[in-house]
Amino acid sequence: MPEKTVGDEVAQTKVQANNSMVFVWDLDETLIIFQTLSNGQYAKLFSGFKDPWEGTMLGHRWEQLILEVCDDYFFYKQVEDWNEPNLMALQDYDDGIDLSSYDFDHDNLGLIPDATNKRKLAYRHRFVGHLYSKGLEKLLNHEQMMEWQLLYKATDRYTDGWLSAGRQMLQECERANNVGEDGLSGLAQAMGKLEMPEDGHRLASEGNCNILVTSGTLIPSLVKCLLFRLDPYFHPSNIYSSREVGKLQCFRWIYERFSIVKPVKFCVIGDGIDESEAAQMLAWPFVKISTGPYSCHRLPSLSMDMLHHYVTVGYELSNKV
């Protein structure tokens, strides 16, 4: 990263099994249906079998709710002109002070990228990480909770269970791990520094790990993960924004994190050309997701057997080159 690579944080990572896998996911139109709802493209794929007005209204309601949560709880109005690729990017500037009574509204965060402003931004990133770890149930008011629950159900129904399928697939990918009862193994809870899990977050013996790399900006992407109920499967330090640096650079940082000690297999799952080309550059298997109604690569049709097949074939081909 511009200030500090995530690889520096986990240089002592201990991967104890050669068959551990890192699944690198895209967000929009891969794990969730979002952009194509708002612009009506999703409904068009179904040639009249989906109500385009309903899809557009769902997309617009998501846009409003995401922005509302970003502004109300995640400092978005203060940080929207700053976009770091990861919450850990500015951790060197964080002196670890207690933030429980810190006045974020009056510390005069500016736009000049000097050490003072980077420290103030690092404070916000740490605080955001801990808000994320608590979950939205402890943040939203009653009206927001009702809107969220109804909107999620309506969108899942409209997309034929796409959102539920995404969560199920993430769970399947991590099934081999020894996760605690809270489902958030390795997640920092104290109000000290937001720590990178020593194992790269749930990359335990014979275990797998989910990483998110999205072209969206960082804070809204974290909020999306919460609202679309993906937070149990993505530690906040495992969410990357490629907006400023590109997906290839993010993939390289991920490689540094998890391959520093022993070989780990990677698999990229997404719908776009950016992640496809980045995966090709690193000789990682790529699974292309399609939202079309007749595609065998719709997320609800994806299985662990299919992912393992792509990984096996992909690494066999790369070894022959």
Side-chain angles (χ1 to χ4, degrees):
M1 294 182 183
E3 302 297 338
K4 181 174 183 177
T5 68
V6 176
D8 293 338
E9 293 293 326
V10 288
Q12 302 303 317
T13 300
K14 293 182 179 180
V15 181
Q16 300 181 12
N18 288 330
N19 61 341
S20 293
M21 294 174 59
V22 174
F23 296 97
V24 182
W25 294 86
D26 180 42
L27 184 58
D28 290 352
E29 279 49 67
T30 297
L31 282 170
I32 66 175
I33 303 296
F34 177 68
Q35 297 290 349
T36 56
L37 281 181
S38 300
N39 62 26
Q41 292 302 311
Y42 183 77
K44 288 182 179 180
L45 294 172
F46 289 81
S47 304
F49 290 98
K50 297 280 185 185
D51 181 354
W53 181 87
E54 181 183 359
T56 300
M57 288 301 100
L58 288 172
H60 289 168
R61 287 169 65 193
W62 276 116
E63 289 175 350
Q64 293 168 5
L65 185 58
I66 290 166
L67 186 59
E68 184 178 315
V69 174
C70 283
D71 288 343
D72 288 353
Y73 305 103
F74 288 84
F75 311 112
Y76 191 53
K77 289 181 180 179
Q78 298 178 16
V79 305
E80 61 180 322
D81 291 321
W82 292 85
N83 184 52
E84 295 296 327
N86 184 272
L87 287 182
M88 310 298 292
L90 298 178
Q91 196 179 38
D92 274 351
Y93 293 91
D94 189 343
D95 55 16
I97 65 168
D98 182 4
L99 298 178
S100 58
S101 59
Y102 185 83
D103 188 355
F104 289 102
D105 291 328
H106 298 95
D107 69 346
N108 299 315
L109 173 66
L111 296 177
I112 299 173
D114 57 17
T116 298
N117 282 322
K118 287 179 180 178
R119 184 179 69 254
K120 295 173 183 177
L121 184 60
Y123 290 164
R124 286 163 172 78
H125 283 178
R126 171 159 48 109
F127 196 81
V128 162
H130 292 293
L131 290 181
Y132 181 99
S133 73
K134 291 178 181 179
L136 286 181
E137 290 83 356
K138 296 184 179 180
L139 291 177
L140 302 186
N141 59 42
H142 178 72
E143 182 179 343
Q144 290 171 325
M145 283 290 295
M146 292 299 296
E147 167 72 1
W148 174 32
Q149 293 170 359
L150 293 173
L151 183 55
Y152 186 93
K153 290 179 181 178
T155 306
D156 201 34
R157 181 175 60 251
Y158 184 81
T159 59
D160 304 312
W162 193 284
L163 305 184
S164 299
R167 297 175 72 242
Q168 178 65 32
M169 198 68 245
L170 291 169
Q171 186 178 27
E172 295 258 347
C173 287
E174 291 192 337
R175 181 166 290 177
N177 291 299
N178 297 319
V179 182
E181 292 182 0
D182 62 356
L184 293 168
S185 174
L187 202 56
Q189 298 294 335
M191 280 304 298
K193 283 198 173 185
L194 176 64
E195 296 180 356
M196 179 72 69
E198 291 183 0
D199 62 355
H201 181 48
R202 288 192 270 174
L203 188 60
S205 177
E206 298 185 4
N208 305 326
C209 182
N210 290 309
I211 306 288
L212 186 71
V213 181
T214 173
S215 59
T217 50
L218 183 61
I219 298 302
S221 297
L222 288 159
V223 171
K224 278 186 184 179
C225 284
L226 288 165
L227 286 171
F228 284 95
R229 302 179 181 178
L230 303 177
D231 51 303
Y233 312 106
F234 294 110
H235 185 277
S237 65
N238 286 349
I239 297 172
Y240 292 79
S241 167
S242 65
R243 176 67 62 90
E244 313 298 337
V245 298
K247 293 207 170 182
L248 179 59
Q249 179 60 72
C250 290
F251 288 8
R252 284 172 171 160
W253 285 327
I254 293 165
Y255 178 82
E256 290 174 10
R257 282 181 61 184
F258 295 103
S259 296
I260 195 69
V261 176
K262 287 187 177 182
V264 179
K265 292 181 178 179
F266 298 86
C267 181
V268 179
I269 306 102
D271 73 300
I273 189 66
D274 291 343
E275 55 262 30
S276 174
E277 291 180 346
Q280 185 177 12
M281 289 289 291
L282 296 176
W284 290 357
F286 174 71
V287 180
K288 182 174 177 56
I289 298 298
S290 174
T291 53
Y294 307 112
S295 172
C296 62
H297 286 173
R298 301 181 78 247
L299 188 61
S301 302
L302 191 64
S303 68
M304 282 305 299
D305 286 341
M306 292 173 65
L307 286 183
H308 282 296
H309 173 74
Y310 274 98
V311 171
T312 300
V313 172
Y315 276 91
E316 285 178 352
L317 291 174
S318 65
N319 290 335
K320 292 178 181 179
V321 176

